[in-house]
Amino acid sequence: SRTVSGPADAMLLHARPPRLGEGTVVGGRFEVSSAAQTTASASIYLANDTSVPGQSVVLHVLHRVAATSSARSGMLRKLRLLHSVIHTSIGRMLDYGWHADRLWYATPWYEGHTLEQLTQQGALSTSEAIEIFGPLARALSSLHEHGVVHREIANANTLILRIGTKGTYETLPLLTGFDSWLLGEVSVGDEPRFIAPEVAKRLSQGAAAGAPAASEDIFGLGLLLLDALEPGVRAGKDEPWPAFLASRGSKSVEVPDSARTSPFAKLLRQSLSLNPEARPSAAELADALERVRPVVAEKRTRRRLIVPASILAVAALLIVVTYFVRKSRLRLIEETLGVAESQVL
């Protein structure tokens, strides 16, 4: 995992990831039950909410220690801003505070799958892609309107929940993982492929990642959509870090010409543009996805009409063929009987 510093880096001190043992209580409310994982930015734990018996939560404890009071207030300001964004596709925040000079925040424990786990079972259909990425684009639009840039759009931070019973469930996509926003840095973790070209270019030149921009999120979401439609492509996967940065900063991501990508080809190319200013806003991306919906529905209706029409054509042909075959057989029988009668006479 790599963490690339941004403008806020001077206010924070690097520190070893904190290790919280089972039973540790954070914020006077959350009791650690087990360690879940460690990312480039935070240690993540499963915990019990002692104020709500039976409720499990995910506890994020950031690795960085705030060096100054201004750093602490700046991080808290960002966290409160994030907490104020209300959208069904944005992970809720239950509480937040400080533990051993490190910022922590708690979110509900969501039972679902990451987008990558879902696409391991196969590529998304066009209708599934619209159902998932439309709400994600709307969620990004809400974040951007509040001045929040996610900057870590990736498979691991995109959960897909199934709400309801089998056969009648609804799909709820959820954006999580806001550590990069809180720390003011680019945390590429295990998925560096989602770094925007302009950020990759600056990093390849030895410069800082730069101030966050909403267009970075659009690139990340576009690449996520491409991944979901064409799981076998995975642009930039397994490239060495320096080579990847050079390539991402100078070469456009290729959008394969396939039946699945065809309805989304234009918005994919716009979202994955090397030029940040050429990318749509999150709201424009959501609107573009909605415009794809009737096109997909029309094609599906057309296919449904074509199939019955083909069946009718085949049936009609069979009737005609059967008619002429029977007519020929009757003629043959009549001729055979005529010959037999003449021989008798």
Side-chain angles (χ1 to χ4, degrees):
S1 298
R2 295 178 177 84
T3 301
V4 183
S5 301
D9 186 54
M11 301 188 297
L12 304 168
L13 292 176
H14 291 265
R16 294 184 63 183
R19 295 183 181 277
L20 303 182
E22 182 180 349
T24 302
V25 176
V26 176
R29 174 180 174 183
F30 302 106
E31 183 179 350
V32 173
S33 57
S34 64
Q37 67 178 116
T38 299
T39 69
S41 304
S43 291
I44 301 172
Y45 301 87
L46 293 179
N48 299 314
D49 188 345
T50 58
S51 66
V52 184
Q55 176 168 287
S56 297
V57 303
V58 179
L59 190 65
H60 302 249
V61 183
L62 302 189
H63 293 167
R64 300 293 190 88
V65 177
T68 64
S69 58
S70 62
R72 290 170 68 103
S73 61
M75 291 175 72
L76 281 176
R77 180 187 60 79
K78 285 185 173 183
L79 201 141
R80 291 182 185 121
L81 187 61
L82 178 59
H83 190 51
S84 70
V85 183
I86 307 298
H87 192 280
T88 53
S89 286
I90 296 175
R92 284 193 304 123
M93 195 172 296
L94 299 173
D95 203 353
Y96 53 86
W98 294 94
H99 182 82
D101 293 325
R102 294 179 177 89
L103 183 68
W104 63 265
Y105 63 95
T107 62
W109 182 77
Y110 296 106
E111 188 171 356
H113 301 282
T114 65
L115 185 59
E116 187 170 34
Q117 289 171 331
L118 186 65
T119 54
Q120 281 173 353
Q121 303 169 20
L124 295 185
S125 67
T126 49
S127 56
E128 287 174 327
I130 294 169
E131 293 302 323
I132 289 174
F133 283 87
L136 290 178
R138 295 290 182 202
L140 272 184
S141 180
S142 294
L143 288 170
H144 295 167
E145 286 173 5
H146 285 77
V148 177
V149 177
H150 191 288
R151 216 175 196 183
E152 206 174 344
I153 302 294
N155 282 298
N157 292 328
T158 310
L159 294 180
I160 309 300
L161 312 183
R162 302 295 196 191
I163 309 299
T165 58
K166 189 175 181 181
T168 59
Y169 64 79
E170 293 184 6
T171 299
L172 176 64
L174 205 65
L175 274 180
T176 63
F178 293 90
D179 299 343
S180 287
W181 157 253
L182 296 172
L183 291 170
E185 62 191 17
V186 177
S187 178
V188 300
D190 297 321
E191 298 184 278
R193 299 183 305 106
F194 293 91
I195 289 182
E198 59 274 19
V199 176
K201 187 174 183 178
R202 287 194 289 268
L203 296 178
S204 68
Q205 296 170 346
S215 55
E216 296 173 29
D217 286 347
I218 302 303
F219 180 90
L221 195 64
L223 190 54
L224 204 61
L225 173 58
L226 179 58
D227 271 9
L229 294 169
E230 296 289 346
V233 175
R234 301 290 192 224
K237 186 179 181 183
D238 299 329
E239 279 190 77
W241 180 245
F244 165 76
L245 289 179
S247 175
R248 174 53 54 81
S250 59
K251 296 179 182 177
S252 298
V253 174
E254 184 178 347
V255 177
D257 185 13
S258 70
R260 284 190 295 270
T261 60
S262 178
F264 306 94
K266 183 178 179 180
L267 64 91
L268 278 171
R269 292 191 178 97
Q270 290 175 337
S271 300
L272 297 173
S273 173
L274 284 174
N275 179 8
E277 295 181 2
R279 295 172 204 151
S281 67
E284 289 169 341
L285 181 56
D287 290 342
L289 285 164
E290 278 301 312
R291 287 194 294 272
V292 171
R293 190 189 299 273
V295 174
V296 172
E298 184 182 348
K299 286 183 178 179
R300 191 181 297 120
T301 303
R302 208 177 292 151
R303 282 197 298 270
R304 287 174 182 163
L305 291 173
I306 288 171
V307 172
S310 302
I311 293 172
L312 288 173
V314 171
L317 180 62
L318 286 173
I319 292 170
V320 171
V321 169
T322 303
Y323 169 78
F324 281 108
V325 168
R326 291 184 64 183
K327 190 173 182 180
S328 299
R329 288 179 66 186
L330 287 171
R331 188 182 296 114
L332 181 62
I333 291 170
E334 289 173 354
E335 290 175 354
T336 303
L337 289 174
V339 169
E341 289 177 359
S342 62
Q343 288 177 349
V344 171
L345 292 172

